[in-house]
Amino acid sequence: MRMAETSAWSRIEIIQGDITRLAVDAIVNAANERLAGGGGVDGAIHRAAGQAELQAACRKLGGCPTGDAKLTPGFALPARFIIHTVGPVWAGGHTGESDLLASCYRRSLEVARDAGCRTVAFPAISTGVYGYPFEAATEVALRTLLAALPAMPELEHVILVFFGAPDFEAAQRVAERLRRAQGS
Ligand code: AR6
């Protein structure tokens, strides 16, 4: 890993919590291609933002392809914006899942930067209903952030939010392993 990637660690934080409660510039939603709302973190975000208003804003976007990201206001959330990204459905790992998941993180960062955000929080995209193996997904998330952030100085603070303690602890272990592997 290059020097710039090593220093990007200082802008990444791993926390346990409910992403809908965070007062950041933008939270990322693990949505579906129709942006129709759903269960999991998507359902929680729609409920906390206000179903009717958020659904109306999503309808205007005309869906979102897997790996891409689109912006709406945060409405009743503490966050100013919601960035809706669509993770891949896990199908064994040989259908481009890791590239698509990396693209979710990269595109969400670009959308956040273009909207003037400094702080952005991600859930563990694709690791629930979409079945992406947790540790592999966390490694893709971290590697993508470490590669992208050096070229995005506007994004001061990126938070990876894990809902339960087991996920939070597993994510910390993945991060520790990566840091050791890069010798920092
Ligand atoms: N805060 C943070 N993380 C959460 C929260 C929360 N409030 N609630 C759940 N998680 P999932 P996916 C975690 O299934 O796999 C929806 O129906 C959860 O523990 O929400 O990308 C969409 O409409 C898990 O680790 O997203 C799509 O159809 C992570 O969020 C589909 O599910 C992601 O789990 C997307 O599936």
Side-chain angles (χ1 to χ4, degrees):
M1 230 171 257
R2 292 186 303 272
M3 246 345 240
E5 294 183 17
T6 308
S7 66
W9 280 110
S10 64
R11 289 148 69 195
I12 300 171
E13 188 183 9
I14 293 174
I15 68 166
Q16 185 189 342
D18 177 352
I19 201 167
T20 65
R21 310 286 286 266
L22 298 184
V24 287
D25 291 327
I27 64 168
V28 175
N29 181 19
N32 53 65
E33 285 194 331
R34 291 180 302 126
L35 301 182
V41 72
D42 194 6
I45 289 173
H46 274 257
R47 280 192 298 278
Q51 298 272 13
E53 273 184 313
L54 182 53
Q55 255 169 26
C58 283
R59 264 197 302 275
K60 287 188 199 146
L61 297 174
C64 180
T66 299
D68 202 358
K70 296 197 176 176
L71 187 80
T72 67
F75 298 106
L77 290 175
R80 258 168 67 214
F81 298 110
I82 304 165
I83 296 168
H84 306 263
T85 192
V86 183
V89 177
W90 180 257
H94 300 292
T95 57
E97 290 98 324
S98 61
D99 287 347
L100 287 166
L101 187 60
S103 175
C104 287
Y105 283 91
R106 213 164 28 241
R107 285 289 304 131
S108 295
L109 292 176
E110 287 168 3
V111 169
R113 177 201 55 199
D114 294 349
C117 298
R118 292 167 185 271
T119 54
V120 51
F122 285 89
I125 299 161
S126 280
T127 68
V129 175
Y130 281 0
Y132 205 117
F134 181 83
E135 295 200 359
T138 306
E139 188 168 333
V140 169
L142 284 166
R143 284 187 185 280
T144 307
L145 296 182
L146 291 168
L149 287 177
M152 299 181 170
E154 305 88 342
L155 296 175
E156 292 167 3
H157 191 195
V158 177
I159 306 171
L160 297 181
V161 186
F162 297 94
F163 204 36
D167 281 357
F168 170 64
E169 285 157 16
Q172 284 183 312
R173 285 194 296 272
V174 172
E176 205 40 54
R177 224 171 31 230
L178 254 186
R179 287 190 79 135
R180 268 204 307 271
Q182 73 179 75
S184 69

